[in-house]
PDB file of all heavy atoms in Angstrom:
ATOM      1  N   LEU A 276     -14.272 108.848  -8.751  1.00 39.00           N
ATOM      2  CA  LEU A 276     -15.556 109.511  -8.560  1.00 39.00           C
ATOM      3  C   LEU A 276     -15.995 109.307  -7.117  1.00 39.00           C
ATOM      4  O   LEU A 276     -15.785 108.246  -6.548  1.00 39.00           O
ATOM      5  CB  LEU A 276     -16.624 108.915  -9.496  1.00 39.00           C
ATOM      6  CG  LEU A 276     -16.440 109.158 -10.977  1.00 39.00           C
ATOM      7  CD1 LEU A 276     -17.496 108.382 -11.757  1.00 39.00           C
ATOM      8  CD2 LEU A 276     -16.546 110.614 -11.311  1.00 39.00           C
ATOM      9  N   LYS A 278     -18.721 108.539  -4.185  1.00 48.00           N
ATOM     10  CA  LYS A 278     -19.828 107.604  -4.175  1.00 48.00           C
ATOM     11  C   LYS A 278     -21.071 108.240  -4.788  1.00 48.00           C
ATOM     12  O   LYS A 278     -21.759 107.649  -5.588  1.00 48.00           O
ATOM     13  CB  LYS A 278     -20.151 107.203  -2.733  1.00 48.00           C
ATOM     14  CG  LYS A 278     -19.913 105.795  -2.396  1.00 48.00           C
ATOM     15  CD  LYS A 278     -20.407 105.571  -0.981  1.00 48.00           C
ATOM     16  CE  LYS A 278     -20.145 104.150  -0.578  1.00 48.00           C
ATOM     17  NZ  LYS A 278     -20.603 103.884   0.773  1.00 48.00           N
ATOM     18  N   ALA A 281     -20.894 108.699  -8.590  1.00 55.00           N
ATOM     19  CA  ALA A 281     -20.890 107.466  -9.354  1.00 55.00           C
ATOM     20  C   ALA A 281     -22.269 106.828  -9.460  1.00 55.00           C
ATOM     21  O   ALA A 281     -22.472 105.960 -10.282  1.00 55.00           O
ATOM     22  CB  ALA A 281     -19.906 106.470  -8.706  1.00 55.00           C
ATOM     23  N   ASP A 284     -28.681 108.691 -11.491  1.00 78.00           N
ATOM     24  CA  ASP A 284     -29.735 109.589 -11.089  1.00 78.00           C
ATOM     25  C   ASP A 284     -31.096 108.885 -11.249  1.00 78.00           C
ATOM     26  O   ASP A 284     -31.216 107.889 -11.940  1.00 78.00           O
ATOM     27  CB  ASP A 284     -29.711 110.843 -11.936  1.00 78.00           C
ATOM     28  CG  ASP A 284     -30.255 112.069 -11.208  1.00 78.00           C
ATOM     29  OD1 ASP A 284     -30.715 111.895 -10.063  1.00 78.00           O
ATOM     30  OD2 ASP A 284     -30.203 113.166 -11.770  1.00 78.00           O
ATOM     31  N   VAL A 286     -35.207 108.736 -12.362  1.00 78.00           N
ATOM     32  CA  VAL A 286     -35.982 109.160 -13.507  1.00 78.00           C
ATOM     33  C   VAL A 286     -36.754 110.457 -13.224  1.00 78.00           C
ATOM     34  O   VAL A 286     -36.971 111.256 -14.093  1.00 78.00           O
ATOM     35  CB  VAL A 286     -36.943 108.062 -13.999  1.00 78.00           C
ATOM     36  CG1 VAL A 286     -38.030 107.776 -12.999  1.00 78.00           C
ATOM     37  CG2 VAL A 286     -37.549 108.380 -15.349  1.00 78.00           C
ATOM     38  N   PHE A 301     -29.763  99.980   1.043  1.00 96.00           N
ATOM     39  CA  PHE A 301     -29.469  98.731   0.375  1.00 96.00           C
ATOM     40  C   PHE A 301     -27.975  98.402   0.407  1.00 96.00           C
ATOM     41  O   PHE A 301     -27.587  97.261   0.722  1.00 96.00           O
ATOM     42  CB  PHE A 301     -29.943  98.759  -1.072  1.00 96.00           C
ATOM     43  CG  PHE A 301     -29.629  97.504  -1.819  1.00 96.00           C
ATOM     44  CD1 PHE A 301     -30.450  96.405  -1.727  1.00 96.00           C
ATOM     45  CD2 PHE A 301     -28.468  97.427  -2.574  1.00 96.00           C
ATOM     46  CE1 PHE A 301     -30.125  95.239  -2.393  1.00 96.00           C
ATOM     47  CE2 PHE A 301     -28.137  96.271  -3.229  1.00 96.00           C
ATOM     48  CZ  PHE A 301     -28.980  95.144  -3.141  1.00 96.00           C
ATOM     49  N   ASN A 302     -27.140  99.368   0.079  1.00 96.00           N
ATOM     50  CA  ASN A 302     -25.691  99.109   0.052  1.00 96.00           C
ATOM     51  C   ASN A 302     -25.171  98.703   1.414  1.00 96.00           C
ATOM     52  O   ASN A 302     -24.310  97.820   1.520  1.00 96.00           O
ATOM     53  CB  ASN A 302     -24.943 100.337  -0.512  1.00 96.00           C
ATOM     54  CG  ASN A 302     -25.196 100.520  -1.965  1.00 96.00           C
ATOM     55  OD1 ASN A 302     -25.469  99.599  -2.713  1.00 96.00           O
ATOM     56  ND2 ASN A 302     -25.100 101.773  -2.416  1.00 96.00           N
ATOM     57  N   LYS A 311     -23.032  88.265   4.714  1.00 94.00           N
ATOM     58  CA  LYS A 311     -22.742  87.462   5.900  1.00 94.00           C
ATOM     59  C   LYS A 311     -23.898  86.485   6.221  1.00 94.00           C
ATOM     60  O   LYS A 311     -23.924  85.876   7.278  1.00 94.00           O
ATOM     61  CB  LYS A 311     -22.461  88.348   7.095  1.00 94.00           C
ATOM     62  CG  LYS A 311     -21.205  89.185   6.897  1.00 94.00           C
ATOM     63  CD  LYS A 311     -20.978  90.143   8.016  1.00 94.00           C
ATOM     64  CE  LYS A 311     -19.725  90.953   7.700  1.00 94.00           C
ATOM     65  NZ  LYS A 311     -19.569  92.085   8.611  1.00 94.00           N
ATOM     66  N   ALA A 320     -39.478  98.511   2.488  1.00 97.00           N
ATOM     67  CA  ALA A 320     -40.463  99.615   2.562  1.00 97.00           C
ATOM     68  C   ALA A 320     -39.936 100.851   1.843  1.00 97.00           C
ATOM     69  O   ALA A 320     -40.703 101.512   1.128  1.00 97.00           O
ATOM     70  CB  ALA A 320     -40.796  99.932   4.016  1.00 97.00           C
ATOM     71  N   VAL A 324     -41.665 102.824  -1.580  1.00 96.00           N
ATOM     72  CA  VAL A 324     -41.928 104.267  -1.691  1.00 96.00           C
ATOM     73  C   VAL A 324     -41.191 104.838  -2.897  1.00 96.00           C
ATOM     74  O   VAL A 324     -41.767 105.607  -3.689  1.00 96.00           O
ATOM     75  CB  VAL A 324     -41.507 104.984  -0.378  1.00 96.00           C
ATOM     76  CG1 VAL A 324     -41.608 106.509  -0.550  1.00 96.00           C
ATOM     77  CG2 VAL A 324     -42.376 104.512   0.784  1.00 96.00           C
ATOM     78  N   CYS A 328     -42.778 106.408  -6.485  1.00 94.00           N
ATOM     79  CA  CYS A 328     -42.378 107.716  -6.992  1.00 94.00           C
ATOM     80  C   CYS A 328     -41.914 107.604  -8.442  1.00 94.00           C
ATOM     81  O   CYS A 328     -42.282 108.428  -9.276  1.00 94.00           O
ATOM     82  CB  CYS A 328     -41.250 108.283  -6.113  1.00 94.00           C
ATOM     83  SG  CYS A 328     -40.749 109.953  -6.557  1.00 94.00           S
ATOM     84  N   ILE A 333     -42.788 108.292 -14.323  1.00 88.00           N
ATOM     85  CA  ILE A 333     -42.882 107.679 -15.643  1.00 88.00           C
ATOM     86  C   ILE A 333     -44.228 107.997 -16.269  1.00 88.00           C
ATOM     87  O   ILE A 333     -44.314 108.362 -17.462  1.00 88.00           O
ATOM     88  CB  ILE A 333     -42.625 106.151 -15.577  1.00 88.00           C
ATOM     89  CG1 ILE A 333     -41.152 105.911 -15.272  1.00 88.00           C
ATOM     90  CG2 ILE A 333     -43.035 105.465 -16.872  1.00 88.00           C
ATOM     91  CD1 ILE A 333     -40.825 104.464 -14.983  1.00 88.00           C
ATOM     92  N   ARG A 334     -45.282 107.879 -15.483  1.00 87.00           N
ATOM     93  CA  ARG A 334     -46.634 108.211 -15.991  1.00 87.00           C
ATOM     94  C   ARG A 334     -46.697 109.680 -16.411  1.00 87.00           C
ATOM     95  O   ARG A 334     -47.274 110.024 -17.456  1.00 87.00           O
ATOM     96  CB  ARG A 334     -47.703 107.907 -14.954  1.00 87.00           C
ATOM     97  CG  ARG A 334     -48.088 106.456 -14.881  1.00 87.00           C
ATOM     98  CD  ARG A 334     -49.351 106.236 -14.040  1.00 87.00           C
ATOM     99  NE  ARG A 334     -49.155 106.632 -12.640  1.00 87.00           N
ATOM    100  CZ  ARG A 334     -48.661 105.839 -11.701  1.00 87.00           C
ATOM    101  NH1 ARG A 334     -48.312 104.612 -11.983  1.00 87.00           N
ATOM    102  NH2 ARG A 334     -48.516 106.258 -10.454  1.00 87.00           N
ATOM    103  N   THR A 350     -40.496  82.787 -17.223  1.00 90.00           N
ATOM    104  CA  THR A 350     -41.539  82.535 -18.214  1.00 90.00           C
ATOM    105  C   THR A 350     -40.902  82.252 -19.577  1.00 90.00           C
ATOM    106  O   THR A 350     -39.696  82.444 -19.774  1.00 90.00           O
ATOM    107  CB  THR A 350     -42.500  83.734 -18.361  1.00 90.00           C
ATOM    108  OG1 THR A 350     -41.774  84.809 -18.993  1.00 90.00           O
ATOM    109  CG2 THR A 350     -43.030  84.205 -17.032  1.00 90.00           C
ATOM    110  N   PRO A 358     -37.775  92.535 -28.584  1.00 76.00           N
ATOM    111  CA  PRO A 358     -38.353  93.014 -29.841  1.00 76.00           C
ATOM    112  C   PRO A 358     -37.480  94.097 -30.462  1.00 76.00           C
ATOM    113  O   PRO A 358     -36.809  94.830 -29.762  1.00 76.00           O
ATOM    114  CB  PRO A 358     -39.725  93.580 -29.407  1.00 76.00           C
ATOM    115  CG  PRO A 358     -39.575  93.867 -27.956  1.00 76.00           C
ATOM    116  CD  PRO A 358     -38.557  92.917 -27.442  1.00 76.00           C
TER     117      PRO A 358
END
Side-chain angles (χ1 to χ4, degrees):
L276 294 174
K278 245 185 182 180
D284 208 356
V286 68
F301 178 84
N302 290 333
K311 295 176 182 169
V324 172
C328 184
I333 289 171
R334 279 191 297 274
T350 70

